[in-house]
Amino acid sequence: MNLERIHNIYFVGIGGIGMSAIANYFKSNGKNVAGYDKVSTKITKSLQQMGIEVHFEDSVNLIPSEFKDNEHTLVVYTPAIPKNNAEFNYFLENKFVVLKRSEILGEITENTFCLAVAGTHGKTTTSTILGHILKESGINATSFLGGISENYKSNLILGGSEIAVVEADEFDRSFLKLSPNIACITSMDADHLDIYGEKTELEKSFKDFADKVSDTLIIRKGLPLKGITYGINEDADYDAKNLRIEEGAYIFDVQTPSETIENIKINLPGKHNVLNAVAALAMANIFGVSLQVIAKALLTFKGIERRFSYKIKRENLVLIDDYAHHPTEINAVVDSVREMYPTKKIVGIFQPHLYSRTRDFIDDFATSLSRFDTLILLDIYPARELPIDGVTSAWLLDKITIEDKQISSKENLVENILKIDSEVIVVIGAGDIGELVEVIKNALSHEN
């Protein structure tokens, strides 16, 4: 496909985190961009501010007329849309070129030097740190991210067309559309079993991805793959040592295959973020950036929205927002909070994401959520799924072992939070709970 010759690009599901980065990229490169999503969000508003036309009703009549020309319009869709979407089916029936998000990302990056970050956890943070390191190093890369970088207030770091950083998503085997030169695999925990069925199928998919890497594969020490390893005190090829916390920041040394750098500092909580930083460091170093330049770039990395984001940080009140939606991620968040606030009572507010994920990991969810002192559960966020009989938040609540637990509607959530006496509140989940965080923040600020 010759993207140079296509002028109109229409997105079905334009508000998704990965979709919106590509829409932004094409708009920034002079293309005519428009799209549909089912709800207006902060992301869709930012796209509209760029001059991208977005509507929120699935209606062929609302597609702007210039995008109904099948010779000069490319259509990009997200697999999260329902198969009966009217606009999607209109484009199929009228013989438009219709590509999945992963396919267009593969097209964009096919002729670039591609640095790809894969893994069931950690890929957004690792790829965003890597994009920031390259930007700060003066390397003209374009980074497509799965979260909003606090440094750039965007999920796209715009640069040239010769080097790309991409978050390689295992959902729907999307990452097999990429052509990575240097890649990292952070983790291969069971997830997306609605797509894969068995954990072994997911692992096979990661092995297929590893086989596509043309130059260097970097892996978390302990994964059943061959590559350059990274870890913490594990005799890995890139090994973090002498970890310590000073004023909420991690400081550590890194031993590489050829040298050691001391006193690297990151302003992110949690050992999992040390691992993410070491993974990004290894990728940048193998690409050719010196350890000294990488260490300087890490000092200015501010984090990612909804990744352990402090919304309130005062002596007597802390509100943290995080995207965690898998038991492993919830455990990482709880570990980080307990590390930062070892003596304080911690309230968790969790919105489960997907009926199938809740069913597949019900006991693991119950164990990780029982680590909070107090828990408020919202109903399951369905995303792309229909309800599954018997799979409810009430079922999950029943398995959680702490006594101080309840289910709340979104409408009564703020009222229920204000009734709880706690200095540390953690909001977690990948659904629309992120849209409620500002409301919770405002209510708590007013109350205090």
Side-chain angles (χ1 to χ4, degrees), residues 225-238:
L225 296 166
K226 282 200 171 74
I228 289 175
T229 58
Y230 72 94
I232 299 174
N233 294 323
E234 293 173 279
D235 289 326
D237 296 314
Y238 283 80

Side-chain angles (χ1 to χ4, degrees), residues 291-310:
L291 293 178
Q292 289 68 30
V293 169
I294 293 169
K296 189 178 175 193
L298 287 173
L299 286 172
T300 57
F301 183 72
K302 294 179 184 172
I304 302 157
E305 283 185 15
R306 303 218 64 225
R307 299 303 193 281
F308 212 93
S309 300
Y310 282 102

